[in-house]
Amino acid sequence: MRKILVCSAKGGVGKTTTAINLSSALNKLNNDVTLVDCNFTTPNVGLYYGISNVGKTIHDIMNKKGNIHKSVYLHKSGTKIIPGSISLSSLKKVRPEFLKQKLNKLNSDFIILDSSAGLGREALASLDACDELLVVVNPELPSVADALKLINIAEDIKKEIIGVVVSRKRGKFEMKMDAIEGLLKYPIIGVIPEDEHVKKALVMEESVYDLYPKSKSGRAYKKLAHYLMGEVFYEEKKS
């Protein structure tokens, strides 16, 4: 079982989109995958999948007696999801310090954690609970500079950093890939291009990988999933 935290020190970089589509790609490659929304303040995983109105969420089990298995939902794609509650009142009962204990009761090949952005209490609880990190950045200096702070904290507590995922790459007026690697001191293991199919999938409450696996972003997420599995990715030839 691998607990991988998809994280960023800045909001809006594509962290949740990466967590969702990476989970879908890993699932389609015959892995048992559980996607956990660890963003207690502004959870979005359930909203992406259209399952925000459910019985039990991660907010309900983040206490001493909560049973995490009661908050697991099987999506039609095959991915198991633990969504968060969008109710403001649910925040009152959340105790992030229980996250690590609860996650240890799950049993999947991959447990993908969608962290809250920033370096606050929620994000640090997710950092403590994971085994490995994927750091998501945009190819812009503020995003990369903030990610460096996150990496320094992760290194201080001896967490393994798998690498960097560059999201929403457009190709113009952006940091070069070697400059990002030079600043962060970790390899870029995935580059996700800006893709209108991502927005289309969001409207349809699905992952872009499930709906448009042959899109530019869909292929990029598949390549990233193969990397995490330690497999060589072979690009399919276009007919």
Side-chain angles (χ1 to χ4, degrees), residues 1 3 68-69 98-107 111 128-131:
M1 181 172 71
K3 296 195 290 287
I68 194 169
H69 297 288
F98 280 100
L99 181 61
K100 185 174 184 178
Q101 172 191 328
K102 301 298 180 180
L103 293 178
N104 285 337
K105 297 182 182 298
L106 295 175
N107 185 23
I111 298 174
D128 178 60
C130 76
D131 298 321

Side-chain angles (χ1 to χ4, degrees), residues 118-175:
L119 301 171
R121 181 167 169 246
E122 293 176 35
L124 294 178
S126 300
L127 193 58
D128 178 60
C130 76
D131 298 321
E132 309 166 75
L133 280 79
L134 275 180
V135 180
V136 181
V137 301
N138 291 152
E140 301 166 353
L141 185 56
S143 174
V144 175
D146 286 344
L148 183 59
K149 301 172 189 174
L150 174 62
I151 287 173
N152 288 337
I153 292 174
E155 289 177 335
D156 285 344
I157 60 175
K158 310 300 182 185
K159 293 293 180 177
E160 179 181 350
I161 300 170
I162 305 171
V164 178
V165 175
V166 178
S167 180
R168 307 188 69 176
K169 187 179 188 308
R170 298 176 179 86
K172 291 185 178 180
F173 311 112
E174 297 177 335
M175 287 186 71

Side-chain angles (χ1 to χ4, degrees), residues 3-4 14 67 99 114 125 163 172 179 181 189 208 224 226 234:
K3 296 195 290 287
I4 300 176
N67 183 347
L99 181 61
D114 181 34
K172 291 185 178 180
E181 289 184 329
I189 62 172
V208 70
L224 178 59
H226 274 284
Y234 294 99

